[in-house]
Amino acid sequence: RYLRKIFPFQSVLNHPKHTCLYYHLGLCPCLNAFNTSENSKIYRKNLRRIIQFLNGKSQTILKDLEKERDKLAKKEDFETALKIQKQIDSIQRIISPRTSPFEYETNPNLIFEKRDQEIKALIKILNDHGIETNYLHRIECYDNSNIQGTNPTSSMVVLTDGEIDKSQYRKFKIRTIKGPNDFDTMKEVLTRRLKHTEWPLPDLWVMDGGKGQVSSAREILKNAGVQVETIPLIGLAKRFETIVTSDLKEIKVPHDNPGLQLLMKIRDEAHRFAITYHRKLRSKNTYFSS
């Protein structure tokens, strides 16, 4: 079931000559509906990788995928490179050590210990790269969502002591920006957020994005009198899960690093929350305009 999400394949011998439900779920390539030599080539490659994985050659697959990703990145085909990066991440999640449910019986504090490990790992990443902090009680992450500039929204999600804290989530319907403009959207959201003095300030700002988003956030925080030296600001670029600091330096750490996994968790949650709100607004507007 998990492998099919990473490497989609047809589950029936005689597939109809049109797209099926599983195609829309991202689980079937529907070769009969899209019968091209390029699709067939990709499909055969997927099947070979499934066989390799089941034969215990997961590291071989990872190396091949990383080479393929890097070639695409050099050609500036970032969209396809991102898809391959997601395959790499999914394989790493499958082969990473799992916690036995029985461990929770012998150690009731296991979940808290894991969260503490993630926070300490993230603090170490920051400290090792000149970002001084030793306390990450509250982490805020921001993400924007729009489709061709329509119904732009943004989300603020919060981790409290490493745990998702939905009671602190906030959603923003963008008021002043027309068209897709992530940078100006980020400025509006942070400006509105900082007006809420009743909300506690975070110990770390996280932007979903790279240098552009971080640069915009840094500017608005500086204008509001919030020093990034006091409250660190970073971004997490989707392309290769690269951490971007407030002075626009890039930090690359292994994907199995607990600190990076904590950032990926809050980034993915911010994206999910923003998309959910965007779809709600889009659906509402479609209903009333029809």
Side-chain angles (χ1 to χ4, degrees):
R1 185 168 74 248
Y2 289 122
L3 278 176
R4 193 178 183 190
K5 292 179 181 178
I6 304 171
F7 303 118
F9 59 83
Q10 291 184 176
S11 59
V12 294
L13 183 61
N14 298 312
H15 193 285
K17 295 184 178 181
H18 56 77
T19 56
C20 64
L21 171 65
Y22 293 106
Y23 169 79
H24 297 289
L25 295 175
L27 301 176
C28 177
C30 283
L31 283 185
N32 287 349
F34 307 102
N35 192 12
T36 66
S37 58
E38 184 62 27
N39 282 350
S40 298
K41 182 180 177 181
I42 294 171
Y43 187 55
R44 287 195 298 271
K45 188 186 293 184
N46 280 348
L47 293 182
R48 285 197 299 271
R49 284 171 172 164
I50 291 172
I51 293 169
Q52 284 180 311
F53 187 91
L54 295 174
N55 284 329
K57 298 180 180 179
S58 56
Q59 294 302 324
T60 302
I61 301 172
L62 287 173
K63 288 179 181 178
D64 288 343
L65 288 172
E66 287 169 355
K67 288 179 182 177
E68 196 172 327
R69 175 201 65 193
D70 293 343
K71 285 181 182 178
L72 289 165
K74 287 180 180 178
K75 295 178 182 178
E76 297 188 355
D77 185 358
F78 298 127
E79 186 175 348
T80 308
L82 178 59
K83 290 179 181 177
I84 293 177
Q85 182 60 57
K86 288 181 178 178
Q87 290 179 315
I88 293 171
D89 294 341
S90 297
I91 292 173
Q92 288 176 329
R93 277 195 290 271
I94 291 176
I95 65 177
S96 63
R98 298 287 177 175
T99 302
S100 168
F102 296 106
E103 288 188 47
Y104 289 94
E105 294 184 7
T106 57
N107 183 3
N109 296 318
L110 185 61
I111 187 68
F112 300 106
E113 291 177 3
K114 285 185 172 294
R115 295 294 171 262
D116 186 58
Q117 179 188 18
E118 290 173 343
I119 291 172
K120 286 180 177 177
L122 179 53
I123 289 173
K124 186 176 188 306
I125 292 172
L126 298 177
N127 289 345
D128 287 349
H129 291 84
I131 303 173
E132 295 300 324
T133 185
N134 54 16
Y135 183 71
L136 294 178
H137 168 66
R138 179 185 173 97
I139 303 174
E140 290 182 7
C141 183
Y142 296 82
D143 181 45
N144 304 323
S145 177
N146 68 74
I147 295 179
Q148 296 179 342
T150 62
N151 303 118
T153 64
S154 189
S155 68
M156 178 187 96
V157 303
V158 178
L159 292 185
T160 301
D161 294 327
E163 285 288 346
I164 286 174
D165 191 348
K166 292 189 177 183
S167 67
Q168 300 294 310
Y169 284 17
R170 298 293 183 268
K171 53 193 177 186
F172 302 87
K173 182 178 179 181
I174 304 306
R175 301 168 180 166
T176 61
I177 311 302
K178 292 184 178 180
N181 190 324
D182 263 1
F183 307 145
D184 286 343
T185 297
M186 192 65 68
K187 289 181 180 179
E188 178 185 327
V189 169
L190 284 177
T191 300
R192 288 166 58 185
R193 184 261 178 267
L194 290 168
K195 289 179 180 178
H196 288 276
T197 55
E198 74 277 15
W199 300 352
L201 288 174
D203 303 300
L204 177 68
W205 308 94
V206 180
M207 303 297 135
D208 176 20
K211 295 181 179 180
Q213 285 80 359
V214 171
S215 180
S216 295
R218 182 184 60 189
E219 180 183 340
I220 194 63
L221 291 174
K222 181 180 178 182
N223 291 339
V226 178
Q227 299 297 321
V228 294
E229 293 81 12
T230 306
I231 303 177
L233 164 69
I234 61 172
L236 186 60
K238 286 189 182 76
R239 198 194 323 173
F240 299 130
E241 306 296 2
T242 303
I243 300 171
V244 179
T245 65
S246 60
D247 55 358
L248 306 185
K249 293 179 181 177
E250 294 185 347
I251 303 174
K252 295 181 180 180
V253 296
H255 283 204
D256 59 356
N257 183 293
L260 178 60
Q261 290 178 349
L262 184 68
L263 289 177
M264 291 167 63
K265 178 174 72 174
I266 190 173
R267 188 275 315 280
D268 292 345
E269 179 65 2
H271 184 67
R272 180 201 66 78
F273 191 51
I275 285 287
T276 301
Y277 183 44
H278 171 77
R279 286 174 178 166
K280 182 179 179 181
L281 289 179
R282 189 178 61 183
S283 176
K284 182 179 178 180
N285 289 346
T286 302
Y287 174 79
F288 283 109
S289 62
S290 62

